[in-house]
Amino acid sequence: MTMETTPGNALHAAPSHGGPQDGPHDGPHAAPREIPHGPAHAWRVVWRITKLNFKARLEYRGEFLMGVAVGAIWQVSIVVFASVLLTRFPGLGGWSSSDVLLIASMRMLAHGLYVLFLGRIQYMNMLVQEGVVDPCLIRPMPVYRQVQLTFFPVNAIGDLVVAVGLFVAALHRSSLDWTAGRITYVVAGVLGGMLVEAALFTALAAAAFHFPATSYWSQWLEELMGTFGSYPLSILPKAASAAFTFVVPLAFIAYFPAGVLTGHGDAMGVPEALAVASPFIGLTAFVLSRLLWNWSLSKYTGVNG
C-alpha cells in the first residue's frame, strides 16, 4: 500500500542546512566559516529531516498505528488471495506453489522498500497543485530529494513487516540451495524491482508538472502491480505478457528475478540473459526516469504557470 490519506508538509518545517548560526564571538572581523557541503553533509541533512518527520508522525500515536495497520492489511489481502489460489491450484503455469510465493514475496519486498525510500513521488500531482513544489526550486537541495522528505511513510512499516514474513515463509518452503550467488542475486533482484517501480512512478510524476490528472494513472498503475505483479506472467495470454514486459515492465520487478533463481529462465518468453539482467535494467530505468524528471522540471513554470 503506497497512498496515505493526507501527506504532511514537513518540508515547510525542515531544518536549515545552510551555514551555522552566528556565535557569541562572531563580529565584523571574524573569519568567515566554511559552509558544510558534500555528500556526507547531504546525507546528514536527509537523516536529520527523516528523524524529525518520524517524530512528527509519532505525535499522533493512533494515526501512526492506523497507518502501519493500513499498510499491513493491504499486503495481507494479497497474501490471502495468493494462498487461496495456490490451495486450489498447486501450480500456476508450470510454477510450483513455493516458486509463486517467491515471486509474491520479492514483489512485496520491492514495493515496501519503494514506499519507504521513494514512494512520496506518487504525491507529485498534489504537491504541484498545492504549491509545495515552487519553494523547493529556490532551496539548496535537489527538488526530487525534497519531495522524498515531505513526510515519513508510516504505512511502509506495515508493508515491510508482512513482506518480510512472506519472504521467510517462501524461503522455508523453497528447496533451493541458497548459495552466496543466489543470496546476492535475490538482494539485487529486490533492489532492482524497487527501482523499476520507482522509475514508473517517477515518469508519471514528471508528467504531473504539466498534467495534474496523472493521479488517476498512478492509481491505475498501483492496482495493476498489485493484481498481476505477484504471479507468473506465463499464465496470461502472450500479448498481455509482452505488454507487462515491454510496455509496463512489471516482469522485471519480481517475475524475471524469481524465474532466474528457480530455474525457469528458459520458459519466460524472453532470452534468459534479459531476465538475468533485471537488476541492471531496474537501475537503467530509474536513471532514465530521473533524466525525464529533470527535463520536465526545467520546463516547469510554477503552479500558476
Side-chain angles (χ1 to χ4, degrees):
M1 177 67 176
T2 302
M3 303 301 284
E4 293 185 284
T5 305
T6 305
N9 289 330
L11 214 62
H12 294 304
S16 171
H17 53 282
Q21 299 295 321
D22 291 339
H25 301 293
D26 291 332
H29 304 293
R33 296 180 180 179
E34 183 180 355
I35 298 176
H37 64 280
H41 173 66
W43 282 111
R44 283 196 297 269
V45 172
V46 168
W47 177 242
R48 185 181 178 189
I49 297 175
T50 300
K51 287 195 298 182
L52 289 173
N53 284 339
F54 186 76
K55 290 179 180 178
R57 301 303 295 268
L58 275 177
E59 288 294 320
Y60 303 93
R61 299 296 175 88
E63 183 179 344
F64 182 92
L65 294 175
M66 184 170 292
V68 174
V70 166
I73 290 171
W74 177 267
Q75 298 288 49
V76 166
S77 65
I78 297 175
V79 174
V80 170
F81 181 78
S83 299
V84 171
L85 193 64
L86 292 175
T87 300
R88 294 182 61 107
F89 306 99
L92 289 175
W95 291 62
S96 66
S97 59
S98 61
D99 293 346
V100 175
L101 282 180
L102 186 62
I103 297 177
S105 62
M106 289 183 68
R107 192 207 72 83
M108 290 168 64
L109 274 175
H111 176 72
L113 291 174
Y114 158 73
V115 174
L116 180 63
F117 293 112
L118 300 165
R120 267 67 66 211
I121 202 65
Q122 282 184 247
Y123 292 95
M124 198 65 226
N125 69 302
M126 191 182 303
L127 297 176
V128 169
Q129 292 178 51
E130 292 180 354
V132 175
V133 173
D134 291 19
C136 295
L137 300 174
I138 59 174
R139 294 193 183 116
M141 180 186 284
V143 176
Y144 194 88
R145 191 183 307 164
Q146 292 185 63
V147 170
Q148 300 301 342
L149 294 172
T150 48
F151 64 95
F152 183 85
V154 175
N155 56 316
I157 299 174
D159 286 344
L160 286 170
V161 167
V162 177
V164 169
L166 183 62
F167 186 69
V168 171
L171 293 183
H172 179 71
R173 293 192 57 173
S174 175
S175 59
L176 295 175
D177 180 18
W178 287 99
T179 61
R182 276 202 174 101
I183 293 172
T184 300
Y185 188 80
V186 77
V187 172
V190 169
L191 294 177
M194 174 191 74
L195 292 176
V196 171
E197 188 165 350
L200 291 170
F201 285 110
T202 297
L204 286 178
F209 284 117
H210 314 285
F211 307 102
T214 54
S215 60
Y216 299 106
W217 288 98
S218 292
Q219 294 172 16
W220 172 78
L221 181 58
E222 188 171 17
E223 291 178 2
L224 200 67
M225 289 182 175
T227 303
F228 297 103
S230 300
Y231 308 101
L233 296 182
S234 56
I235 65 176
L236 300 176
K238 289 185 177 181
S241 181
F244 288 143
T245 301
F246 301 108
V247 181
V248 182
L250 305 187
F252 294 96
I253 296 177
Y255 174 56
F256 286 161
V260 170
L261 288 166
T262 55
H264 291 83
D266 57 348
M268 292 188 291
V270 298
E272 187 173 2
L274 182 64
V276 171
S278 292
F280 176 75
I281 289 173
L283 177 60
T284 302
F286 182 65
V287 170
L288 292 175
S289 72
R290 286 299 312 275
L291 292 175
L292 176 63
W293 158 278
N294 291 338
W295 177 83
S296 185
L297 179 62
S298 69
K299 304 297 182 182
Y300 178 64
T301 55
V303 66
N304 294 319

